[in-house]
Amino acid sequence: MDEELAAFTVHQGPETIAPTTEYEGTNASRFALMAPLGPVREDSQASDGVVATEHLVQFGLNPELMRTRDFVAGERAGQEAEFFFESYRPGMELTELRYTAFNALNTEARLDARLAFLAAGLGSALERESVTAASAVLTSVPPPEAPSPAAGWRGWPYRFLTRHIDSLRFTDPLLEFVPFPDEDGEAAATVPWDGEAWQRYCSYWLGEVGKDADPASLSAAVRFLAQVRVEIAERSADPIVRELAFASYLNLPGGAAPSPPSAAPAAPAGEAILVSTMVHGTWGWKGAWWYPGGDFHRYVASGIRPALYAGGQEFSWSGAYSTNQRAIGGNRFARWVQAVGGADGLGTVFGHSYGGEIIARAVNAGSTIDEVVFLSAPVHAHHRRMLSAVRRVVDVRLPFDIVLTAARASQKLPPAGNVVEYVVKQNFWSHGATHNPEVWASEGIATAVGL
């Protein structure tokens, strides 16, 4: 089966918190929702607009959690640590902590159970579930004030790391499957998933930090385990797991966007046929969907936009997780628009994920684009400021995007007369399902949005 079209069924009952493959999609979504419910980090995007009450209800979470999310971040960290140490005992099964934390979240709307719930999910033996919790941890649990000098690990206290370094790297059999570089500095292309070993490993380290009962060590320990988990997931044979791991990198400062031109350009003359194109998202250049011959490119060119560019100098950008790289990509796309479209600019530009920001940056820099189609785009200031500078915007997104939610990325454009929103009907695991031609064909998306 095409993994991009792997869908999951949404469940609501409290019994569905059980760590089973049947409920994995629902529980991964629950762990993702813990990220925007967490305190806002100074070095990350604000989480406003990421989660709404209906999202909590959809996945069987107490909607009152929305009303308790705004207490002071510093107090939150202490309260979350206190709940963890009260609920978790060294040697305790993480599944038991999972049930305890979920019950507190639901019955009493205790948001101080959030970190314990994420820690339990992080230690799940289910591959997709645990990596979603890991990404949510890295985007919502603030790093310690004093980063570790140990290269490669984010924020682990040096005093704790050195105390256990031998068991961590050399004598602990539970880390044999972690892709440390070999003697030539190369890491394995893919790493087989050993869920039971990972579960035991998390239990061991959470038990160790539980003996200290130190809040700073707890947050550092959970972030450390999350980073290890993400590094394993980046080499998973499952493409969905790799996508979910990337969510941990997407929550970066967006930077300021220049003001767009004061007036939107007029629609192109009826006889003019403007060139259209596609812009891939983060790491999207590795795929072929956007490139001539790629599945979505063929689908759109076959009837939706016959003038889709295929001239041999297709635009691409680095796709790196970096605000600077997106700024460079936006500037280069602005030059590409001028070179290919000239004074008339481009017709329709499709942009997936952060490819949408590349488009928005180019528009805000003065590029003439008639119509923009966002595909699962995280929304930042650049997107909002470009709305008055294009004739029409089509916003295609998933009913619940696990990747963007775990990344605490806003997913909603402000209401505007030139914005058409389409929400895909099924709950897909993949953040990239919005550029799958089978999804577009089966749901008639092009007709529904007037393309």
Side-chain angles (χ1 to χ4, degrees), residues 34-40 65 68-69 71-88 97 101 105 110-119 136-137 140-142 214-216 218-219 222 408:
M34 293 300 108
L37 288 176
V40 177
L65 290 170
T68 60
R69 63 183 294 224
F71 56 91
V72 180
E75 295 177 355
R76 172 87 70 89
Q79 291 173 359
E80 290 184 342
E82 184 178 354
F83 180 92
F84 179 91
F85 291 127
E86 288 178 352
S87 305
Y88 184 72
L97 178 64
L105 287 164
R110 290 189 59 179
L111 203 49
D112 59 344
R114 187 191 73 96
L115 180 60
F117 186 55
L118 279 175
V137 165
S140 69
V141 176
D214 173 45
L218 172 63
S219 61
V222 174
R408 297 165 65 109

Coordinates of all heavy atoms in Angstrom, one line a residue, residues 34-40 65 68-69 71-88 97 101 105 110-119 136-137 140-142 214-216 218-219 222 408:
M34 N -0.5 17.4 22.6 CA 0.2 17.9 23.8 C 1.2 19.0 23.5 O 1.5 19.8 24.4 CB 0.9 16.7 24.5 CG -0.1 15.6 25.0 SD -1.2 16.2 26.3 CE -2.8 16.2 25.4
A35 N 1.7 19.0 22.3 CA 2.7 20.1 21.9 C 2.1 21.5 22.0 O 2.6 22.3 22.7 CB 3.3 19.8 20.6
P36 N 1.0 21.8 21.3 CA 0.5 23.1 21.3 C -0.2 23.4 22.7 O -0.5 24.6 23.0 CB -0.6 23.2 20.2 CG -0.9 21.7 19.9 CD 0.3 21.0 20.2
L37 N -0.5 22.4 23.5 CA -1.0 22.7 24.8 C 0.1 23.0 25.8 O -0.2 23.3 27.0 CB -1.8 21.5 25.3 CG -3.2 21.2 24.6 CD1 -3.8 20.0 25.1 CD2 -4.1 22.4 24.8
G38 N 1.3 22.9 25.4 CA 2.4 23.1 26.3 C 2.8 24.6 26.4 O 2.3 25.4 25.6
P39 N 3.7 25.0 27.3 CA 4.2 26.4 27.3 C 4.9 26.8 26.1 O 5.5 26.0 25.4 CB 5.1 26.4 28.6 CG 5.6 24.9 28.7 CD 4.4 24.1 28.2
V40 N 4.8 28.1 25.7 CA 5.4 28.6 24.5 C 6.9 28.8 24.8 O 7.3 29.5 25.7 CB 4.7 29.9 24.1 CG1 5.5 30.5 22.8 CG2 3.3 29.7 23.7
L65 N -9.3 21.3 28.8 CA -7.9 21.5 28.8 C -7.5 22.9 28.1 O -6.5 23.5 28.4 CB -7.2 20.4 28.0 CG -7.2 19.0 28.7 CD1 -6.7 17.9 27.8 CD2 -6.3 19.1 30.0
T68 N -7.2 25.7 30.7 CA -6.2 25.6 31.7 C -4.8 25.8 31.1 O -3.8 25.6 31.8 CB -6.2 24.2 32.5 OG1 -6.0 23.2 31.5 CG2 -7.6 24.1 33.1
R69 N -4.7 26.1 29.8 CA -3.4 26.1 29.2 C -2.6 27.3 29.3 O -1.4 27.4 29.0 CB -3.6 25.8 27.6 CG -4.4 26.9 26.9 CD -4.6 26.5 25.5 NE -3.3 26.5 24.7 CZ -3.2 27.1 23.5 NH1 -4.2 27.7 22.9 NH2 -2.0 27.0 22.9
F71 N -1.6 29.1 32.1 CA -0.9 29.5 33.3 C 0.6 29.6 33.0 O 1.1 29.1 32.0 CB -1.2 28.6 34.5 CG -0.9 27.1 34.3 CD1 0.4 26.6 34.6 CD2 -1.9 26.3 33.8 CE1 0.6 25.3 34.4 CE2 -1.6 24.9 33.7 CZ -0.4 24.4 33.9
V72 N 1.3 30.4 33.8 CA 2.7 30.8 33.6 C 3.6 29.6 33.3 O 3.6 28.6 33.9 CB 3.3 31.6 34.8 CG1 4.7 32.0 34.5 CG2 2.4 32.8 35.1
A73 N 4.4 29.8 32.2 CA 5.3 28.7 31.7 C 6.2 28.1 32.8 O 6.4 26.9 33.0 CB 6.1 29.1 30.5
G74 N 6.8 29.1 33.6 CA 7.7 28.6 34.7 C 7.0 27.8 35.7 O 7.5 26.8 36.2
E75 N 5.7 28.2 36.1 CA 4.9 27.4 37.0 C 4.6 26.0 36.4 O 4.5 25.0 37.1 CB 3.7 28.1 37.4 CG 3.9 29.4 38.2 CD 2.7 30.2 38.5 OE1 1.6 29.7 38.0 OE2 2.7 31.2 39.2
R76 N 4.3 26.0 35.1 CA 3.9 24.8 34.4 C 4.9 23.8 34.5 O 4.7 22.6 34.8 CB 3.6 25.1 32.9 CG 3.3 23.9 32.1 CD 1.9 23.5 32.1 NE 1.1 24.5 31.4 CZ 0.8 24.4 30.1 NH1 1.3 23.4 29.4 NH2 0.1 25.4 29.5
A77 N 6.2 24.1 34.3 CA 7.3 23.2 34.3 C 7.4 22.5 35.6 O 7.5 21.3 35.7 CB 8.6 23.9 33.9
G78 N 7.3 23.3 36.7 CA 7.3 22.7 38.0 C 6.2 21.8 38.3 O 6.3 20.8 38.9
Q79 N 5.0 22.2 37.9 CA 3.8 21.4 38.2 C 3.8 20.1 37.4 O 3.4 19.1 37.9 CB 2.5 22.2 37.8 CG 2.3 23.4 38.8 CD 1.2 24.3 38.4 OE1 0.5 24.1 37.3 NE2 0.9 25.3 39.2
E80 N 4.3 20.2 36.1 CA 4.4 19.0 35.3 C 5.4 18.0 35.9 O 5.2 16.8 35.9 CB 4.8 19.3 33.9 CG 3.7 20.0 33.1 CD 4.0 20.3 31.7 OE1 5.2 20.2 31.3 OE2 3.1 20.5 30.9
A81 N 6.5 18.5 36.4 CA 7.5 17.6 37.1 C 6.9 17.0 38.3 O 7.1 15.8 38.6 CB 8.8 18.4 37.4
E82 N 6.2 17.8 39.1 CA 5.6 17.3 40.3 C 4.7 16.2 40.1 O 4.7 15.2 40.7 CB 4.9 18.5 41.1 CG 4.3 18.1 42.4 CD 3.7 19.2 43.2 OE1 3.8 20.4 42.7 OE2 3.1 19.0 44.2
F83 N 3.8 16.3 39.0 CA 2.9 15.3 38.7 C 3.6 14.0 38.3 O 3.3 12.9 38.7 CB 2.0 15.7 37.6 CG 1.0 14.7 37.2 CD1 -0.3 14.6 37.7 CD2 1.3 13.7 36.2 CE1 -1.2 13.6 37.4 CE2 0.4 12.7 35.9 CZ -0.9 12.7 36.5
F84 N 4.7 14.2 37.5 CA 5.5 13.0 37.0 C 6.0 12.3 38.2 O 5.9 11.0 38.3 CB 6.6 13.5 36.1 CG 7.4 12.3 35.6 CD1 7.1 11.7 34.4 CD2 8.5 11.9 36.3 CE1 7.9 10.6 34.0 CE2 9.3 10.9 35.9 CZ 9.0 10.2 34.7
F85 N 6.7 13.0 39.1 CA 7.3 12.3 40.3 C 6.3 11.7 41.2 O 6.6 10.7 41.9 CB 8.2 13.3 41.0 CG 9.4 13.7 40.2 CD1 9.8 15.0 40.0 CD2 10.3 12.7 39.6 CE1 10.9 15.4 39.3 CE2 11.4 13.1 38.9 CZ 11.7 14.4 38.7
E86 N 5.1 12.2 41.3 CA 4.1 11.7 42.1 C 3.5 10.4 41.5 O 3.0 9.5 42.2 CB 2.9 12.7 42.3 CG 3.3 13.8 43.3 CD 2.2 14.8 43.4 OE1 1.2 14.7 42.7 OE2 2.3 15.7 44.3
S87 N 3.5 10.3 40.1 CA 2.8 9.3 39.4 C 3.7 8.2 39.0 O 3.2 7.0 38.7 CB 2.1 9.9 38.2 OG 1.2 10.9 38.6
Y88 N 5.0 8.4 38.8 CA 5.9 7.4 38.3 C 7.0 7.0 39.3 O 7.6 7.8 39.9 CB 6.7 8.0 37.0 CG 7.5 7.0 36.3 CD1 7.0 5.9 35.6 CD2 8.9 7.0 36.4 CE1 7.8 5.0 35.0 CE2 9.7 6.1 35.8 CZ 9.1 5.1 35.1 OH 9.9 4.1 34.5
L97 N 1.9 4.4 33.6 CA 2.0 5.9 33.6 C 1.1 6.5 32.5 O 0.4 7.5 32.7 CB 3.4 6.3 33.4 CG 3.6 7.8 33.3 CD1 3.3 8.5 34.7 CD2 5.1 8.2 33.0
A101 N -1.7 9.2 33.5 CA -1.7 10.6 33.0 C -2.9 10.9 32.1 O -3.5 12.0 32.2 CB -0.4 10.8 32.2
L105 N -5.7 13.9 32.7 CA -6.0 14.8 31.6 C -7.5 14.9 31.4 O -8.1 16.0 31.1 CB -5.3 14.5 30.3 CG -3.7 14.7 30.3 CD1 -3.1 14.0 29.1 CD2 -3.4 16.2 30.2
R110 N -6.4 18.0 34.0 CA -5.2 18.4 34.7 C -4.1 18.5 33.6 O -3.5 17.5 33.2 CB -4.8 17.4 35.8 CG -5.7 17.4 37.0 CD -5.2 16.6 38.1 NE -3.8 17.0 38.5 CZ -3.2 16.4 39.5 NH1 -3.7 15.4 40.1 NH2 -1.9 16.8 39.8
L111 N -3.8 19.7 33.2 CA -2.8 19.8 32.2 C -1.4 19.6 32.7 O -0.4 19.5 32.0 CB -2.9 21.2 31.5 CG -2.3 21.4 30.1 CD1 -2.7 20.3 29.2 CD2 -2.6 22.8 29.6
D112 N -1.2 19.6 34.1 CA 0.1 19.2 34.6 C 0.4 17.8 34.4 O 1.6 17.4 34.6 CB 0.1 19.6 36.1 CG -0.9 18.8 36.9 OD1 -1.9 18.3 36.3 OD2 -0.8 18.8 38.2
A113 N -0.5 17.0 33.8 CA -0.2 15.6 33.5 C 0.4 15.5 32.1 O 0.8 14.4 31.6 CB -1.5 14.7 33.6
R114 N 0.5 16.6 31.4 CA 1.0 16.6 30.0 C 2.3 16.0 29.8 O 2.6 15.1 28.9 CB 1.0 18.0 29.5 CG 1.2 18.2 28.0 CD 1.5 19.7 27.7 NE 2.8 20.1 28.2 CZ 3.9 20.1 27.4 NH1 3.8 19.8 26.1 NH2 5.0 20.5 27.9
L115 N 3.3 16.4 30.6 CA 4.7 15.9 30.4 C 4.7 14.4 30.7 O 5.4 13.6 30.0 CB 5.7 16.6 31.3 CG 7.1 16.2 31.2 CD1 7.6 16.4 29.8 CD2 8.0 17.0 32.2
A116 N 4.0 13.9 31.8 CA 4.0 12.5 32.1 C 3.4 11.7 30.9 O 3.9 10.6 30.6 CB 3.3 12.3 33.4
F117 N 2.3 12.3 30.3 CA 1.7 11.6 29.2 C 2.6 11.5 28.0 O 2.7 10.5 27.4 CB 0.4 12.4 28.8 CG -0.4 11.7 27.8 CD1 -0.9 10.4 27.9 CD2 -0.8 12.4 26.6 CE1 -1.7 9.8 26.9 CE2 -1.6 11.8 25.7 CZ -2.0 10.5 25.8
L118 N 3.4 12.6 27.7 CA 4.3 12.6 26.6 C 5.5 11.6 26.9 O 5.9 10.9 26.0 CB 4.9 14.0 26.4 CG 4.0 14.9 25.6 CD1 4.6 16.3 25.5 CD2 3.8 14.4 24.2
A119 N 5.9 11.5 28.2 CA 7.0 10.6 28.5 C 6.6 9.2 28.3 O 7.3 8.3 27.8 CB 7.5 10.9 29.9
A136 N 6.8 16.0 19.7 CA 6.0 16.9 20.5 C 6.8 17.4 21.7 O 6.8 18.5 22.2 CB 4.7 16.2 21.0
V137 N 7.7 16.5 22.3 CA 8.5 16.9 23.4 C 9.5 17.9 22.9 O 9.7 19.0 23.6 CB 9.3 15.6 23.9 CG1 10.5 16.1 24.8 CG2 8.4 14.7 24.7
S140 N 8.0 21.4 22.6 CA 7.2 22.0 23.6 C 7.8 21.9 25.0 O 7.3 22.5 26.0 CB 5.8 21.3 23.7 OG 5.8 20.0 24.1
V141 N 8.9 21.1 25.2 CA 9.5 21.1 26.5 C 10.8 21.9 26.4 O 11.7 21.6 25.6 CB 9.9 19.6 26.8 CG1 10.7 19.6 28.2 CG2 8.7 18.8 27.0
P142 N 10.9 23.0 27.1 CA 12.0 23.9 27.0 C 13.3 23.2 27.4 O 13.3 22.4 28.3 CB 11.7 25.1 28.0 CG 10.2 25.0 28.2 CD 9.8 23.5 28.1
D214 N 14.5 15.5 40.4 CA 14.9 16.9 40.2 C 14.2 17.4 38.9 O 14.4 16.8 37.8 CB 16.4 16.9 40.0 CG 16.9 18.3 39.5 OD1 16.4 19.3 40.1 OD2 17.7 18.4 38.6
P215 N 13.4 18.4 38.9 CA 12.7 18.9 37.8 C 13.5 19.2 36.6 O 13.2 18.9 35.4 CB 11.9 20.1 38.3 CG 11.8 19.9 39.7 CD 13.0 19.2 40.1
A216 N 14.7 19.8 36.8 CA 15.6 20.2 35.7 C 16.1 18.9 35.0 O 16.2 18.8 33.8 CB 16.7 21.0 36.2
L218 N 14.6 16.1 35.0 CA 13.5 15.4 34.3 C 13.3 15.9 32.9 O 13.2 15.2 31.9 CB 12.2 15.5 35.1 CG 11.0 15.0 34.5 CD1 11.1 13.5 34.2 CD2 9.7 15.4 35.3
S219 N 13.2 17.2 32.8 CA 12.9 17.8 31.5 C 14.1 17.5 30.5 O 13.9 17.2 29.3 CB 12.7 19.3 31.5 OG 13.8 20.0 32.1
V222 N 13.9 13.8 29.4 CA 12.8 13.5 28.5 C 13.3 14.0 27.1 O 13.1 13.4 26.1 CB 11.5 14.1 28.9 CG1 10.4 14.0 27.8 CG2 11.0 13.5 30.2
R408 N 3.7 22.3 16.5 CA 3.1 23.6 17.0 C 3.0 24.6 15.9 O 3.1 25.8 16.2 CB 3.9 24.1 18.2 CG 3.9 23.2 19.4 CD 5.0 23.6 20.4 NE 4.8 24.9 21.0 CZ 4.5 25.1 22.2 NH1 4.3 24.1 23.0 NH2 4.3 26.3 22.7

